[in-house]
Amino acid sequence: MSQSVVTCSAERTSPAKALRMILDSPGVHLGPACFDALSAKLIERAGFNYCFTSGFSISAARLGLPDTGFISYGEMVDQGQLITQAVSIPVIGDGDNGYGNAMNVKRTIKGFIKAGFAGILLEDQVSPKACGHTRGRKVVSREEAVMRIKAAVDAREETGSDIVIVARTDSRQAISLDESLWRSRAFADAGADVLFIDALTSREEMKSFCEVAPQVPKMANMLEGGGKTPILSPSELEELGYKVVVYPLSLIGVAIQAMQDSLTAIKGGRIPPPGTMPTFEEIKEILGFNLYYEEEKRYATSTS
């Protein structure tokens, strides 16, 4: 009896279940993209109820390399586990193209589940992949693209998990809008929980996408700094029919700028001026020093 109660409790609080509750709730939900444990903690402290991982940003922060297929499955899972362990909000992981064929996709799904992800984003690009909104993107055949989603659904069922599968197609830029709409419908039929067409180029295209498989939530990607998709307000996106919105570059972008500014100051014999960075006390609070000190008292021992 007690084991059943524990199991039910674990199911109620699972990351995937928490994410599904968000998807089922009214309104549009904003999810900034993190790239490490600290950025994820900051997202949670800011009051967001879920977040994404950005493969672009993780490749930049972990490898210092462009998001052109350099980063591996193992590195993404390792980084993801550090992120999910740092926060209590659900995290949607960037699973790229699944890192291979359908069997690789199944391994990727199972690895992301073990890493604590609430959801996973899978795309239909070839290997090596290209970053969204950049040139040179190519996609696999319709049949292989759909088979990846079916493999992901099978892997989820085999593990008894309810991880949320976000199906992304890059065929809008690689082929055509009509192709991307066809693939989105096929992904919905294959069991995807959320649909995403990358690099739609107008409000009209975005509206057409939201009319596909209306029962399945849609994801919008607001690529900051000059992507192909119009930057719309949350209310505008909700009106079009979107449910979740990712902001992939905000944190890595401002972090790069802030670090460059700080290095310029130090090079000139100065330190970053007050107001451009938190105080030492604020930094310690963000990282949990004060909570650590409070808990440490519980285990203090007297010394002779």
Side-chain angles (χ1 to χ4, degrees):
M1 175 66 75
S2 61
Q3 184 177 2
S4 175
V5 172
V6 171
T7 301
C8 291
S9 175
E11 290 176 352
R12 282 197 302 270
T13 58
S14 73
K17 186 170 183 63
L19 179 57
R20 290 183 181 277
M21 290 174 64
I22 293 170
L23 293 173
D24 290 337
S25 63
V28 66
H29 303 282
L30 313 182
C34 64
F35 50 89
D36 60 10
L38 176 57
S39 56
K41 283 174 72 78
L42 293 173
I43 291 170
E44 182 176 35
R45 283 174 59 91
F48 292 94
N49 57 4
Y50 78 105
C51 69
F52 287 84
T53 64
S54 162
F56 181 101
S57 301
I58 290 175
S59 182
R62 184 169 174 128
L63 304 181
L65 291 173
D67 183 23
T68 52
F70 284 120
I71 200 155
S72 68
Y73 159 79
E75 290 167 318
M76 289 293 279
V77 168
D78 180 63
Q79 193 82 346
Q81 190 167 23
L82 296 175
I83 289 168
T84 61
Q85 289 177 349
V87 296
S88 59
I89 58 175
V91 182
I92 299 175
D94 187 349
D96 291 320
N97 55 10
Y99 308 102
N101 62 14
M103 298 305 295
N104 292 101
V105 169
K106 293 184 73 173
R107 178 179 183 238
T108 297
I109 291 290
K110 293 175 181 179
F112 273 52
I113 291 170
K114 288 181 180 178
F117 281 110
I120 180 170
L121 188 149
L122 287 171
E123 63 196 44
D124 57 358
Q125 287 198 58
V126 300
S127 295
K129 57 155 285 178
C131 172
H133 295 253
T134 60
R135 66 185 182 183
R137 281 185 292 173
K138 298 178 181 178
V139 293
V140 298
S141 69
R142 285 182 172 185
E143 183 180 18
E144 185 174 349
V146 173
M147 201 59 68
R148 285 181 183 178
I149 302 304
K150 288 183 177 179
V153 171
D154 288 345
R156 176 174 63 189
E157 292 177 354
E158 289 169 10
T159 57
S161 167
D162 57 350
I163 190 171
V164 173
I165 297 171
V166 182
R168 160 180 163 171
T169 179
D170 288 73
S171 56
R172 168 62 190 93
Q173 292 299 307
I175 302 176
S176 68
L177 174 64
D178 286 343
E179 180 67 16
S180 66
L181 296 176
W182 187 96
R183 290 187 182 218
S184 295
R185 293 188 193 94
F187 292 162
D189 292 340
D193 301 295
V194 179
L195 302 177
F196 169 38
I197 298 178
D198 193 46
L200 292 170
T201 61
S202 68
R203 185 189 295 260
E204 291 70 30
E205 290 189 1
M206 297 166 77
K207 186 174 186 299
S208 296
F209 168 50
C210 288
E211 292 170 351
V212 170
Q215 77 283 3
V216 182
K218 308 301 188 301
M219 174 181 141
N221 182 26
M222 295 290 95
L223 184 69
E224 314 89 328
K228 297 181 182 297
T229 304
I231 301 296
L232 304 180
S233 68
S235 59
E236 290 174 310
L237 291 167
E238 182 178 4
E239 185 178 349
L240 286 174
Y242 284 100
K243 175 57 67 174
V244 292
V245 186
V246 59
Y247 297 86
L249 298 184
S250 290
L251 295 192
I252 192 70
V254 297
I256 289 171
Q257 185 64 58
M259 287 189 284
Q260 288 177 327
D261 292 344
S262 297
L263 292 168
T264 299
I266 293 170
K267 195 171 183 180
R270 307 182 308 277
I271 61 172
T276 63
M277 63 177 288
T279 65
F280 183 46
E281 290 302 319
E282 290 170 334
I283 292 174
K284 289 193 295 181
E285 170 63 24
I286 290 169
L287 296 178
F289 275 85
N290 294 334
L291 288 174
Y292 174 86
Y293 294 144
E294 285 300 314
E295 186 174 5
E296 186 183 37
K297 293 176 184 177
R298 293 174 50 193
Y299 306 105
T301 58
S302 60
T303 57
S304 56

